[in-house]
Amino acid sequence: MRSLSLLLVYLVVTLAEAASYKDGPFKVKESIVAPPRVWVEHAPAPSNHILELRIALPQPFSPLLEKHLLEVSDPSRKRYGDYLSKQETESFLSPHPHTIDSVSEWLASYGIHDDDLHSSAQGWVTVRVPVGLAEEMLGAKYHVYRHSETGEYIVRTTSYSLPEVLHDHVQFIQPTTMFARFRAFSSTLHWTTVPVNDASTSSTITGPAGNQVDASCNQTITPTCLRQLYHAVGYETSATNGNQIGITSYLGLYVNDHDLQQFFEAYVPAACGSNYTTVSINGGQNNQSIAAAGLEADLDSQYAFGLTYPTPRTLYTTAGSPPFDPDLHVPNNTNEPYSYWLEYMLSAENLPQTISTSYGDDEQTVPESYANRVCMGFAALGARGVSLTFSSGDYGVGDGDPNPETQLCFSNDGRNTTMFIPSFPASCPFVTTVGGTIYIPETAASFSGGGFSNYFPRPSYQDRAVSDYLSKLAPGTYEGLYNPDGRAYPDVSAQSDWFMVAYQGQFGYVGGTSASTPTFASIISMVNDARINAGKKGLGFLNPWLYSVGYAGLNDITTGHNPGCGTEGFNASIGWDPGESREAFHHLNKSS
Ligand SMILES: *[C@@H]1O[C@H](CO)[C@@H](O)[C@H](O)[C@H]1NC(C)=O
Ligand SMILES: *[C@@H]1O[C@H](CO)[C@@H](O)[C@H](O)[C@H]1NC(C)=O
Ligand SMILES: *[C@@H]1O[C@H](CO)[C@@H](O)[C@H](O)[C@H]1NC(C)=O
Ligand SMILES: *[C@@H]1O[C@H](CO)[C@@H](O)[C@H](O)[C@H]1NC(C)=O
Ligand SMILES: *[C@@H]1O[C@H](CO)[C@@H](O)[C@H](O)[C@H]1NC(C)=O
Ligand SMILES: *[C@@H]1O[C@H](CO)[C@@H](O)[C@H](O)[C@H]1NC(C)=O
C-alpha cells in the first residue's frame, strides 16, 4: 500500500503542477534592457510565423564534467590523456528525470507532445510553434527587428517568463533575447592578379628561432611560409594513424572545391585531387555554385587541409542563423548555430582530435545563460580529447566599428557606458583562443581581438600568467573598461594577414584571426599526429598544458598592440598579454 499511496501523491502533485502551468504565476525568466544598438524594432511579429524554440534543460552534473576536464587535460595529473567516452560525457550533461517530466507536462498543457524529449541525452528540447502560441507560453511579446546596417530581420523578444514552478527545470529558451549574429572573422579581401608561387623565391630571412623563411613571406603568407615559420618543414603527417582534423562552417559560407583544388595546385601540389568529408548538421549545405563560395570557408579549408595533408579532414557545415525573411511563414532556424553543432558532435562516436572555428560575436549580444551552456558543451568535447581553437576576433579591444572616432563601444546593459567589447566563444575558458600577428619578425596585428570576459571568471590555469601581466600595468590603466577578474584571451597567436587564398576562381589576400586560427589548429594537429605515432593520446583541451608546459615551445611576441574604443588597447609584452599572446611553436618535434 505504501507504494500505491506514494504514487497517488505523485499523481496529485503532477496534476496540480499541470493545472498551474497555464495559470501561472508567471515570473520573468530572462530579459534585456534593450536590443544591441544596431537592431531597430520594425513591426510586431506575425502571429503565424513559426519559431523553432530550443529549450535548454539544466544539467545538474555539469560541474563534475569541468572537474574531469581539468584532470584529463593537465599534464601534471595522473589522469592526463585519459579522455572520457561519449557515454561518460553524456551522463554529465543529462538533465534530471523530474525535469524532463515537468517540461513534457508543461508542453502537453499546450497540446505539444515531443516524443524525443525522453531521449534527449544532453537536455535539449526543440519545438516548432507559431509566434502566437510562443507568446502565450512565454508571457512574451515578439517583434521583428531590423539590422540598421545590413537590413537583416530577426524575430525576438526582450523578455520572457515561465510559470514559477518551471524555473528550476528550464535553463533558457531561445530564440527570445539573443541578438547575436556570429560573424566570420576574416576581413576584406585584396585581389591580386598573379598567384605568387613561393617556390620561385630565392632569398630568405631569419625567423624567430633562427629558422630560414622565404623573404616573400613578409608580404605573402602561403602554407610553405607557415611551415617554415613554425618549424614544420618536412614533417609528414599520416593518412592512416587515426589522427583527423575538422573545420566548421556556418552562416551559409561554403567551401568551394574548385577553389580548393586551384589553391592546392599552386601551393600544396601533393594534395591535388584530395578530398574531405562533409558532415551536414541541421540541414547545413555545401553549395558548390561559385557564387556561394564563402571567403571564410575557402580560407579555413585551404589552410587547415593544405597544411595537414594527408591527415583525414572533415567539414562540419551547420545551418541556422539570420538573415530571416519575416514574410515567409515557414520554420526558419534563426537561433544560433553552436548548440546544434554541439548536440551533433557530443552524440558522435568518432571525433577529430583537432577542430578549428573562425566565427564569433560580441559576448554581450549572447545571453549569459547561452554562453554558459555552449561553453560547457565545448568543455565536454575537450573532456573527450578534442583540441578546439576559436578566433579571438578582428576588432582589437573594440566592437568592430571601423571608424575610431565613432567606435565608442557601448555597453548593452542599459547604462550605455563605454567598455571594451570581449567576444564569444573566444571568452569561453574551455577553448583555445587564437589571436593574430603580422610580419617577420612577428608583431601583434592591430586588429587582433584580446581582452577579458565579463561572464567567465579567470580560470586557474591562467592565474599566474594573467596576474603577472596585470601587475605590470600602470595602476588605474583602463579602469572600468574591462573586467580584470575575467577569463583573459587570446591564449596563443599566429600569422594572420596577407594570406594567399583562391576565392571564386581568383587569387587574393585575406587577413583576420580567421587565418591564424586554422594555422594554429594545423600545427596542433601535426603535434597530435606525432603523439599518436608515438603511442600517446592527442593533446585534448590545450590550455592547462599550454600555460604550464606548452608555452616553452612558443615564441613570445613583445611588440604591437590592439587598439579599439578610442584607446590604444593592450600592449604585447614579455610573457602572456591580451595585446598578443605567444605565437605558434618554434619546435614542432620538441613540443610533441
Ligand atoms: C617585414 O615587413 C615589415 C613591414 O614592412 C618591416 O618592418 C620588416 O622589417 C620586414 N622584415 C624583414 C625581415 O625585412
Ligand atoms: C569529394 O567527395 C564528394 C562526395 O563526398 C564528391 O562528390 C566529389 O566528387 C569528391 N571530389 C573529388 C575531387 O574527389
Ligand atoms: C546555390 O547557390 C546559388 C548562388 O548563391 C543559388 O543561386 C542556388 O539557388 C543555390 N542552390 C541551392 C540548392 O541552394
Ligand atoms: C526559410 O526556410 C525556407 C524553407 O526551409 C527556405 O526555403 C527559405 O529560403 C528560408 N529563408 C531564409 C531567409 O533562410
Ligand atoms: C548611448 O549614448 C550615445 C552617445 O551619447 C548615443 O548616441 C546613443 O544613442 C545612446 N544609446 C542608447 C541606447 O541610449
Ligand atoms: C603601451 O606602451 C606604451 C609605450 O611604451 C605606453 O605609453 C602605454 O602606456 C602602454 N599601454 C598600456 C595599456 O600598458
Side-chain angles (χ1 to χ4, degrees):
M1 284 313 285
R2 223 170 103 212
S3 57
L4 182 61
S5 58
L6 272 179
L7 181 66
L8 282 174
V9 169
Y10 177 73
L11 280 176
V12 169
V13 169
T14 49
L15 282 174
E17 279 189 6
S20 67
Y21 286 136
K22 283 178 133 167
D23 308 334
F26 274 61
K27 193 173 119 191
V28 173
K29 179 70 181 165
E30 286 186 286
S31 68
I32 54 173
V33 177
R37 288 186 309 145
V38 286
W39 291 105
V40 179
E41 195 176 305
H42 173 73
S47 64
N48 57 347
H49 170 73
I50 303 289
L51 286 171
E52 186 168 291
L53 289 183
R54 293 275 278 171
I55 305 167
L57 310 182
Q59 300 167 314
F61 307 109
S62 60
L64 286 173
L65 182 65
E66 197 175 323
K67 193 172 152 285
H68 283 275
L69 171 70
L70 295 176
E71 284 183 10
V72 299
S73 315
D74 178 344
S76 70
R77 301 287 189 100
K78 264 214 310 283
R79 285 184 59 206
Y80 184 54
D82 183 12
Y83 299 126
L84 272 54
S85 66
K86 163 174 131 58
Q87 286 70 25
E88 285 168 321
T89 50
E90 278 183 347
S91 71
F92 292 120
L93 295 177
S94 55
H96 194 282
H98 186 48
T99 286
I100 294 177
D101 293 342
S102 304
V103 171
S104 36
E105 282 154 24
W106 170 60
L107 292 173
S109 70
Y110 290 95
I112 303 164
H113 298 279
D114 184 337
D115 298 335
D116 297 334
L117 212 161
H118 288 270
S119 62
S120 168
Q122 303 154 26
W124 284 108
V125 182
T126 307
V127 296
R128 293 181 165 195
V129 295
V131 162
L133 181 56
E135 290 183 333
E136 196 185 320
M137 294 166 71
L138 303 177
K141 181 72 198 136
Y142 275 91
H143 282 90
V144 176
Y145 292 85
R146 185 175 180 278
H147 195 277
S148 57
E149 288 154 18
T150 65
E152 292 165 320
Y153 295 100
I154 52 173
V155 171
R156 294 292 186 272
T157 174
T158 53
S159 167
Y160 70 99
S161 299
L162 286 172
E164 209 163 341
V165 290
L166 265 186
H167 272 236
D168 289 343
H169 297 301
V170 172
Q171 189 179 1
F172 61 82
I173 300 180
Q174 292 295 347
T176 50
T177 55
M178 165 126 75
F179 285 82
R181 288 175 67 235
F182 297 112
R183 322 174 240 207
F185 286 138
S186 53
S187 34
T188 13
L189 187 73
H190 316 274
W191 290 110
T192 174
T193 43
V194 203
V196 185
N197 199 321
D198 51 349
S200 64
T201 319
S202 52
S203 61
T204 60
I205 50 183
T206 302
N211 41 333
Q212 291 304 299
V213 182
D214 292 346
S216 62
C217 299
N218 207 24
Q219 290 91 40
T220 303
I221 294 288
T222 64
T224 302
C225 293
L226 296 171
R227 278 189 168 248
Q228 290 174 338
L229 267 168
Y230 303 133
H231 268 257
V233 174
Y235 183 80
E236 286 179 25
T237 59
S238 165
T240 54
N241 66 356
N243 191 40
Q244 301 176 55
I245 188 166
I247 60 169
T248 62
S249 107
Y250 296 107
L251 312 177
L253 299 171
Y254 303 126
V255 172
N256 185 275
D257 292 343
H258 184 265
D259 288 342
L260 184 64
Q261 293 304 325
Q262 194 177 352
F263 181 81
F264 284 167
E265 271 162 40
Y267 299 109
V268 196
C272 280
S274 68
N275 214 343
Y276 56 92
T277 304
T278 302
V279 171
S280 159
I281 298 168
N282 196 33
Q285 320 230 312
N286 197 33
N287 185 334
Q288 288 303 306
S289 153
I290 192 83
L295 179 57
E296 180 65 64
D298 274 355
L299 168 68
D300 297 346
S301 58
Q302 288 166 25
Y303 280 85
F305 299 167
L307 280 166
T308 62
Y309 174 79
T311 299
R313 59 297 275 290
T314 301
L315 165 73
Y316 296 95
T317 168
T318 309
S321 69
F324 151 78
D325 181 347
D327 298 327
L328 285 175
H329 300 148
V330 287
N332 279 65
N333 162 26
T334 60
N335 278 3
E336 46 75 30
Y338 296 123
S339 78
Y340 290 88
W341 183 75
L342 278 167
E343 195 177 17
Y344 175 88
M345 297 303 283
L346 289 169
S347 61
E349 293 285 351
N350 175 21
L351 298 173
Q353 288 80 354
T354 315
I355 303 176
S356 181
T357 299
S358 297
Y359 299 78
D361 204 352
D362 298 348
E363 186 186 66
Q364 66 170 350
T365 68
V366 177
E368 192 166 355
S369 56
Y370 173 86
N372 275 315
R373 174 72 169 219
V374 163
C375 188
M376 189 51 72
F378 295 140
L381 284 181
R384 287 188 59 191
V386 181
S387 309
L388 295 172
T389 62
F390 279 84
S391 301
S392 71
D394 286 356
Y395 314 109
V397 294
D399 60 4
D401 186 335
N403 180 353
E405 301 300 314
T406 55
Q407 193 189 67
L408 295 172
C409 302
F410 293 115
S411 72
N412 198 45
D413 55 2
R415 292 182 302 143
N416 199 23
T417 49
T418 294
M419 65 172 201
F420 291 165
I421 306 292
S423 110
F424 179 82
S427 68
C428 166
F430 304 128
V431 304
T432 298
T433 302
V434 185
T437 65
I438 186 170
Y439 302 134
I440 303 161
E442 285 176 86
T443 183
S446 60
F447 55 73
S448 179
F452 297 78
S453 174
N454 289 315
Y455 289 170
F456 299 100
R458 184 196 305 157
S460 58
Y461 61 74
Q462 64 171 200
D463 228 356
R464 197 168 33 160
V466 176
S467 33
D468 277 358
Y469 172 79
L470 292 174
S471 70
K472 286 181 287 181
L473 279 184
T477 304
Y478 300 148
E479 204 167 283
L481 290 181
Y482 75 100
N483 169 23
D485 300 322
R487 185 280 201 254
Y489 68 90
D491 300 301
V492 290
S493 64
Q495 284 285 339
S496 62
D497 209 354
W498 301 106
F499 275 51
M500 183 62 77
V501 288
Y503 173 59
Q504 299 189 337
Q506 279 182 273
F507 281 92
Y509 293 107
V510 65
T513 51
S514 279
S516 51
T517 306
T519 298
F520 187 79
S522 296
I523 301 291
I524 289 296
S525 179
M526 291 186 222
V527 176
N528 281 339
D529 179 85
R531 287 177 60 90
I532 290 167
N533 285 344
K536 298 180 194 169
K537 293 282 183 62
L539 290 164
F541 172 46
L542 299 169
N543 295 4
W545 167 77
L546 271 175
Y547 283 86
S548 63
V549 190
Y551 74 91
L554 310 182
N555 304 308
D556 197 1
I557 308 299
T558 55
T559 57
H561 56 100
N562 61 348
C565 311
T567 76
E568 290 300 299
F570 294 105
N571 288 332
S573 61
I574 293 168
W576 181 88
D577 54 75
E580 200 43 61
S581 187
R582 298 158 167 115
E583 68 169 2
F585 298 96
H586 59 74
H587 281 301
L588 176 61
N589 293 323
K590 192 176 116 192
S591 46
S592 63

